[in-house]
Amino acid sequence: MTTKEILIASCWTTAGDANPLPGQDLSPFPLKERIEAASEAGFRGFGLLDCDIAKFLEDHSLPDLKKILDDNGMEAIEIEFLTNWFETGEKRKESDALREKLLTASKVLGAHHLKVAADITGAPWDKEYWIKELTKLGDDAKSYDTKLALEFMPFANINNLATGLDLVNSVNHPNVGLMVDMWHIGRGGTSIEEVSRTPLNRIYGVELDDADAEQVGDGYSDTIHRRRYCGEGDMPVVELIQTLKKIGWQGPWGVEIISEEHRKLNPKDAAKKAFDTT
């Protein structure tokens, strides 16, 4: 790893017994302990989930959080997860409130990017409407000096690199790009060759992880319960890294380990295992 390459401990990598399901996503460990554990392991970037930030702000401020991150040498901050920005009605109202909170946190903490969700229900979608709404979201992000990394997922409406790239190309906004995640590349049928043809200016975030060759159960349960540490599965992790380096990626490398096995570990052991394998 060169001095230019920074590994980000994603929010789930140090969260302990928490996972991306409603009511189960709040880590039982304090953010300070998790940040210190990640720093000790060698990470120079840290991922923050919206509910963890909200919990921290019950007794502290965003400047307090920035000081903890700075004191532990965290140079690249990832914030997630903005959902339902494409919805209407009550869901949109809730999303807009979250939008303001996450954009504010991104600005104060100097985030490298804010992760933005596709529609994980996989429902039919109106491309022109999405272009309009994502453009508005990009304008908001620009006003907060923040970039958005839209994450495509095999079980979502934006289900592969080609679809995601087509959308961000159509939006053509300097603050809107893609999150490239090894799990979603592998499970979504995207080839490494496709990645090699992706314009560098459309990639705003990268996440590394691994998985077994065969999916078990549905895509969502497989991605939150059965990911592997980098190099311990069957995904072409090395090839993905080499390809991204060839097209010029010099940004941070997120490490997103989500599994039943990993959730049993405390932040210190989890961060060390994730860092060492990556």
Side-chain angles (χ1 to χ4, degrees), residues 85-100:
W85 53 271
F86 46 82
E87 286 285 3
T88 57
E90 190 60 31
K91 285 185 178 180
R92 177 58 179 269
K93 183 178 179 181
E94 293 174 0
S95 179
D96 284 349
L98 179 62
R99 178 181 189 146
E100 183 177 0

Side-chain angles (χ1 to χ4, degrees), residues 191-205:
S191 69
I192 297 299
E193 197 274 332
E194 284 181 76
V195 177
S196 73
R197 292 186 277 105
T198 303
L200 181 63
N201 67 347
R202 296 306 191 200
I203 301 175
Y204 285 0

Side-chain angles (χ1 to χ4, degrees):
M1 187 173 67
T2 71
T3 55
K4 289 184 178 179
E5 293 168 343
I6 295 171
L7 299 189
I8 298 176
S10 88
C11 66
W12 304 113
T13 297
T14 63
D17 190 15
N19 66 75
L21 289 173
Q24 300 180 34
D25 51 358
L26 181 64
S27 172
F29 297 104
L31 266 181
K32 186 172 185 292
E33 178 183 346
R34 295 166 57 193
I35 294 167
E36 290 172 345
S39 178
E40 183 179 339
F43 286 100
R44 289 297 171 264
F46 196 82
L48 297 156
L49 186 63
D50 53 281
C51 63
D52 289 321
I53 295 174
K55 179 68 175 177
F56 182 87
L57 292 180
E58 290 178 3
D59 303 302
H60 305 84
S61 67
L62 285 172
D64 291 336
L65 181 52
K66 180 167 174 49
K67 185 176 189 308
I68 294 172
L69 291 164
D70 289 346
D71 289 347
N72 283 278
M74 295 303 171
E75 302 175 39
I77 307 304
E78 173 182 79
I79 294 179
E80 59 179 290
F81 205 20
L82 181 59
T83 60
N84 293 333
W85 53 271
F86 46 82
E87 286 285 3
T88 57
E90 190 60 31
K91 285 185 178 180
R92 177 58 179 269
K93 183 178 179 181
E94 293 174 0
S95 179
D96 284 349
L98 179 62
R99 178 181 189 146
E100 183 177 0
K101 291 176 182 177
L102 294 185
L103 286 172
T104 298
S106 296
K107 184 175 178 64
V108 173
L109 301 178
H112 183 271
H113 59 265
L114 166 61
K115 285 175 66 174
V116 176
D119 184 355
I120 65 170
T121 69
W125 59 294
D126 181 337
K127 181 181 174 182
E128 292 306 313
Y129 172 77
W130 272 57
I131 290 171
K132 181 179 71 172
E133 291 302 316
L134 192 50
T135 299
K136 291 178 182 177
L137 185 54
D139 288 341
D140 285 349
K142 185 177 181 179
S143 69
Y144 282 83
D145 300 320
T146 299
K147 289 190 174 182
L148 308 174
L150 176 68
E151 188 162 24
F152 56 89
M153 306 176 185
F155 40 80
N157 64 327
I158 312 299
N159 56 10
N160 54 39
L161 175 60
T163 305
L165 184 57
D166 177 64
L167 177 60
V168 298
N169 279 340
S170 298
V171 171
N172 194 28
H173 195 292
N175 293 71
V176 179
L178 293 173
M179 170 61 67
V180 175
D181 183 315
M182 178 74 263
W183 195 96
H184 300 311
I185 289 287
R187 289 289 192 253
T190 295
S191 69
I192 297 299
E193 197 274 332
E194 284 181 76
V195 177
S196 73
R197 292 186 277 105
T198 303
L200 181 63
N201 67 347
R202 296 306 191 200
I203 301 175
Y204 285 0
V206 173
E207 287 183 331
L208 304 175
D209 38 52
D210 213 330
D212 294 333
E214 297 298 323
Q215 177 174 302
V216 176
D218 65 89
Y220 196 73
S221 64
D222 192 67
T223 197
I224 69 171
H225 296 313
R226 285 175 285 278
R227 293 196 193 193
R228 300 292 186 193
Y229 297 103
C230 293
E232 295 188 359
D234 300 303
M235 294 283 184
V237 187
V238 171
E239 290 83 355
L240 177 65
I241 294 170
Q242 291 172 334
T243 298
L244 288 168
K245 287 164 99 38
K246 283 180 181 178
I247 66 175
W249 177 254
Q250 294 185 340
W253 305 84
V255 181
E256 187 175 56
I257 309 301
I258 315 174
S259 71
E260 293 173 330
E261 173 190 3
H262 190 69
R263 284 193 283 275
K264 297 175 183 178
L265 302 179
N266 61 53
K268 186 173 181 178
D269 291 339
K272 179 173 174 50
K273 176 72 172 177
F275 184 87
D276 289 349
T277 49
T278 306

